[in-house]
Amino acid sequence: MESLELPRLFLHHHPRASSVPPTRLLHNTSNSRFLPQLGFPSKLIKATKNATLRSISGDTDGGPAASQDGPVSFEDETQQRDEDSALLLSREIDDYGSLVGFRLNSNNSGKTNGIRGDLRSGEVEKPDVESVEEEKAKTGVTYNIVFVTSEAAPYSKTGGLADVCGSLPIALAGRGHRVMVISPRYVHGTAADSKFSKAVDLGIPVSVFCFGGAQEVGFYHEYREGVDWVFVDHPSFHRPGNPYGDKNGTFKDNQFRFTLLSHAACEAPLVLPLGGYTYGEKCLFLVNDWHASLVSVLLAAKYRPYGVYKDARSILVIHNIAHQGVEPAITYSNLGLPQEWYGALGWVFPTWARTHALDTGEAVNFLKGAIVTSDRIVTVSKGYSWEITTHEGGFGLHEILRDRKSILSGITNGIDVTEWDPSSDEHIASNYSADDLSGKVKCKIALQKELGLPVRPDCPMIGFVGRLDYQKGIDLIRQAIPELMKDDVQFVMLGSGNPVYEDWMRATESVYKDKFRGWVGFNVPVSHRITAGCDILLMPSTFEPCGLNQLYAMRYGTIPVVHETGGLRDTVQTFNPFAAGSNAEGCNAEGTGWTFSPLTKESMLVALGYAIQTFNEHKSSWEGLMKRGMTRDYTWENAATQYEQIIKWAFMDPPYC
């Protein structure tokens, strides 16, 4: 570990640079506030009253004391009896070489054991575990965190983005942070509008300047589960369909709608007195995907030049880099940004992607703007954080992301373990758990009866739940079905999307009446019953930033067979019956499913073949697979802890832009 001189902030309290007596320095609240910020235990403030705190440059084993002109030491009125009892301040470096924290070391041991008692005696006591945990709880730093998102469950949902922004804020609020979620107040004219019924109009209209004039937006608010849920109200959010489009395609004014969202999100912490007071300027904005990406640019271009949000930070969370918010370059003047900031959003399509010979390819790219202005970037899995830096997975942004690789991290999503719990799920025929799996086969029989399939508990049942489009690997399933149907299996699919795939599902069901069922549409209770009733869940996605269905499946004892990509690679461990310590019955084996690569019909069928054979011939190994998946930790608590670390890193550095 490399040692480091104390930061300059301590110089203001050096006895030679201040008239304040040294004995009072560490008792003064305003002076001692620096120590907790660096992660020092609060007991250190009292314990170092009469101790010497030294910084050493170079080797920590010895060396001269810092000079009197340096950012030096706190000294006792009387000299310490033993120079060996001095403390060293050393720094910790992360994998990227960035400074992440400081550690106090004793001069004679080189280890930080904590400081208790009277240090003048030359003794350093080692604290017990309970006191350390107590100190961590006392000295934890809390933040004002503002999520900006186009959807948040249960208010609006089209995919995994809503699940993240509906669950992660609650987990962070439970850890002591003040959390606000800002999303549009969608009014579709359906029963789903009742989800906003508890949100109250705050009566604080705000005018934001974009698209050639002042646009007035309102705010609705609901306080639920420790989180401030704020909904931006504007007529452009009141229309039939989903948040992004209707049966005729995507809405043509989405750039306008989500520009409004970003401007409103920047104003909300300043003007909304939630719980009696505003969030203020020192906020951490978590901007999700391109719909909220303009927030990071606005902070840098519109607010900080005038001294507003100078202490705020922004973190971009990329859920799916395929969607970037690209519009013609001429629309830049509508965004309410200074002209000199065009380069942040400016984008040029490659020649092959242009529509005609006179097309210059110039455009504005919202997601690119956030990538180059945010303080940190997070993806929804570690594997995906690497994939987006490759030519194949970056969708044109890979080079920019490589340049910012040092601040790019991946955090795997959690799931709502209350909603997805086989021991209490109201949607399934019989509840079960890892300790009692008897209900699993009852769910399978009930599903076979519901779908009109032959009731055969011994027949492997394969399921698919998801959107019917190219990304989810539907083409691969179409190619493999004729060969797969030759085996003694049953196959169930649930989803909606591309009409071509929907028609294929209907046609395939008519051909394989006793083996295949296709449910066109999406139904939450049915998705729970398929997840519980099937033995195998197939996910041949071409790319998958995180994926949630494989987590749901393992939680329900259903074995995933997935393409080795993104979050699927991170969360599914290939079954290994020959792991160290395993026996002939497969006890102590490793793995929770099967992964396959490359993305071909042949490799997918091989992986499915292994799964089917294990189900038929190795029941004890199969049960081990089920239990290992069911007993894993899928809570949002793990993800929240990792997000806290990213937030701490963001505030350690000055704003990037």
Side-chain angles (χ1 to χ4, degrees), residues 312-347:
R313 303 290 187 275
S314 66
I315 297 176
L316 169 65
V317 184
I318 300 176
H319 300 262
N320 191 338
I321 201 171
H323 305 290
Q324 301 176 6
V326 180
E327 296 288 347
I330 196 173
T331 63
Y332 177 82
S333 59
N334 295 329
L335 305 182
L337 291 169
Q339 187 60 38
E340 59 267 22
W341 279 84
Y342 173 81
L345 281 78
W347 179 253

Side-chain angles (χ1 to χ4, degrees), residues 284-352:
L284 186 284
F285 287 89
L286 271 169
V287 299
N288 294 270
D289 276 349
W290 78 264
H291 319 93
S293 289
L294 203 60
V295 169
S296 296
V297 186
L298 287 169
L299 293 177
K302 179 182 176 182
Y303 290 92
R304 287 198 186 106
Y306 300 96
V308 183
Y309 283 132
K310 59 183 181 298
D311 294 323
R313 303 290 187 275
S314 66
I315 297 176
L316 169 65
V317 184
I318 300 176
H319 300 262
N320 191 338
I321 201 171
H323 305 290
Q324 301 176 6
V326 180
E327 296 288 347
I330 196 173
T331 63
Y332 177 82
S333 59
N334 295 329
L335 305 182
L337 291 169
Q339 187 60 38
E340 59 267 22
W341 279 84
Y342 173 81
L345 281 78
W347 179 253
V348 179
F349 281 100
T351 304
W352 61 266

Side-chain angles (χ1 to χ4, degrees), residues 229 292 297 458 583 613:
W229 305 88
V297 186
D458 60 326
N583 55 27
Q613 183 181 12

Side-chain angles (χ1 to χ4, degrees), residues 633-648:
D633 184 1
Y634 300 103
T635 64
W636 275 104
E637 194 67 20
N638 288 335
T641 302
Q642 295 177 66
Y643 271 97
E644 282 182 330
Q645 182 62 69
I646 302 296
I647 293 170
K648 290 177 183 177

Side-chain angles (χ1 to χ4, degrees), residues 409-420:
S409 305
I411 300 175
T412 302
N413 289 337
I415 63 173
D416 186 339
V417 294
T418 302
E419 178 185 359
W420 291 90

Side-chain angles (χ1 to χ4, degrees), residues 282-470:
K282 190 172 182 179
C283 292
L284 186 284
F285 287 89
L286 271 169
V287 299
N288 294 270
D289 276 349
W290 78 264
H291 319 93
S293 289
L294 203 60
V295 169
S296 296
V297 186
L298 287 169
L299 293 177
K302 179 182 176 182
Y303 290 92
R304 287 198 186 106
Y306 300 96
V308 183
Y309 283 132
K310 59 183 181 298
D311 294 323
R313 303 290 187 275
S314 66
I315 297 176
L316 169 65
V317 184
I318 300 176
H319 300 262
N320 191 338
I321 201 171
H323 305 290
Q324 301 176 6
V326 180
E327 296 288 347
I330 196 173
T331 63
Y332 177 82
S333 59
N334 295 329
L335 305 182
L337 291 169
Q339 187 60 38
E340 59 267 22
W341 279 84
Y342 173 81
L345 281 78
W347 179 253
V348 179
F349 281 100
T351 304
W352 61 266
R354 301 177 190 178
T355 56
H356 52 78
L358 298 180
D359 184 1
T360 62
E362 295 182 3
V364 290
N365 186 319
F366 275 37
L367 189 62
K368 182 240 179 179
I371 290 173
V372 300
T373 55
S374 295
D375 297 285
R376 290 269 167 178
I377 303 172
V378 177
T379 65
V380 289
S381 69
K382 290 182 173 62
Y384 195 56
S385 69
W386 169 79
E387 284 185 7
I388 63 175
T389 63
T390 67
H391 181 79
E392 295 79 7
F395 287 84
L397 295 174
H398 53 284
E399 292 183 356
I400 299 174
L401 286 162
R402 278 185 206 151
D403 291 340
R404 303 215 66 195
K405 190 175 181 179
S406 62
I407 53 89
L408 175 61
S409 305
I411 300 175
T412 302
N413 289 337
I415 63 173
D416 186 339
V417 294
T418 302
E419 178 185 359
W420 291 90
D421 185 356
S423 66
S424 60
D425 194 334
E426 298 178 352
H427 300 304
I428 63 179
S430 179
N431 296 125
Y432 59 96
S433 66
D435 297 325
D436 181 9
L437 295 170
S438 60
K440 174 77 170 173
V441 68
K442 296 177 183 177
C443 291
K444 181 176 183 179
I445 293 172
L447 180 63
Q448 290 172 330
K449 290 179 179 179
E450 180 180 3
L451 299 177
L453 289 168
V455 177
R456 296 183 55 200
D458 60 326
C459 178
M461 178 177 276
I462 305 169
F464 172 89
V465 178
R467 203 168 58 250
L468 301 181
D469 64 17
Y470 170 78

Side-chain angles (χ1 to χ4, degrees), residues 352-612:
W352 61 266
R354 301 177 190 178
T355 56
H356 52 78
L358 298 180
D359 184 1
T360 62
E362 295 182 3
V364 290
N365 186 319
F366 275 37
L367 189 62
K368 182 240 179 179
I371 290 173
V372 300
T373 55
S374 295
D375 297 285
R376 290 269 167 178
I377 303 172
V378 177
T379 65
V380 289
S381 69
K382 290 182 173 62
Y384 195 56
S385 69
W386 169 79
E387 284 185 7
I388 63 175
T389 63
T390 67
H391 181 79
E392 295 79 7
F395 287 84
L397 295 174
H398 53 284
E399 292 183 356
I400 299 174
L401 286 162
R402 278 185 206 151
D403 291 340
R404 303 215 66 195
K405 190 175 181 179
S406 62
I407 53 89
L408 175 61
S409 305
I411 300 175
T412 302
N413 289 337
I415 63 173
D416 186 339
V417 294
T418 302
E419 178 185 359
W420 291 90
D421 185 356
S423 66
S424 60
D425 194 334
E426 298 178 352
H427 300 304
I428 63 179
S430 179
N431 296 125
Y432 59 96
S433 66
D435 297 325
D436 181 9
L437 295 170
S438 60
K440 174 77 170 173
V441 68
K442 296 177 183 177
C443 291
K444 181 176 183 179
I445 293 172
L447 180 63
Q448 290 172 330
K449 290 179 179 179
E450 180 180 3
L451 299 177
L453 289 168
V455 177
R456 296 183 55 200
D458 60 326
C459 178
M461 178 177 276
I462 305 169
F464 172 89
V465 178
R467 203 168 58 250
L468 301 181
D469 64 17
Y470 170 78
Q471 180 200 338
K472 299 301 180 180
I474 307 300
D475 287 326
L476 212 60
I477 296 177
R478 292 176 65 186
Q479 297 172 22
I481 280 293
E483 189 170 342
L484 185 61
M485 291 293 97
K486 295 177 183 178
D487 294 331
D488 186 19
V489 299
Q490 294 176 343
F491 201 109
V492 181
M493 294 184 68
L494 169 68
S496 62
N498 190 324
V500 174
Y501 296 144
E502 293 179 354
D503 293 340
W504 168 80
M505 281 172 54
R506 297 185 182 99
T508 304
E509 181 176 327
S510 65
V511 174
Y512 305 102
K513 296 181 179 179
D514 293 335
K515 290 191 168 186
F516 185 93
R517 289 292 183 272
W519 187 304
V520 176
F522 190 78
N523 184 295
V524 172
V526 174
S527 70
H528 281 245
R529 292 197 286 273
I530 290 177
T531 302
C534 287
D535 302 297
I536 300 167
L537 183 81
L538 180 62
M539 293 185 67
S541 305
T542 54
F543 67 93
E544 194 66 67
C546 178
L548 295 175
N549 286 330
Q550 82 279 10
L551 302 179
Y552 299 150
M554 290 187 288
R555 173 88 165 146
Y556 279 65
T558 301
I559 310 306
V561 176
V562 304
H563 176 220
E564 194 173 319
T565 183
L568 301 180
R569 180 197 295 114
D570 292 348
T571 55
V572 179
Q573 181 185 10
T574 297
F575 175 55
N576 178 16
F578 308 108
S582 62
N583 55 27
E585 287 75 30
C587 296
N588 300 321
E590 294 178 349
T592 55
W594 281 268
T595 63
F596 63 89
S597 185
L599 185 63
T600 63
K601 178 190 74 172
E602 291 75 19
S603 61
M604 183 181 76
L605 287 173
V606 167
L608 281 172
Y610 287 143
I612 294 169

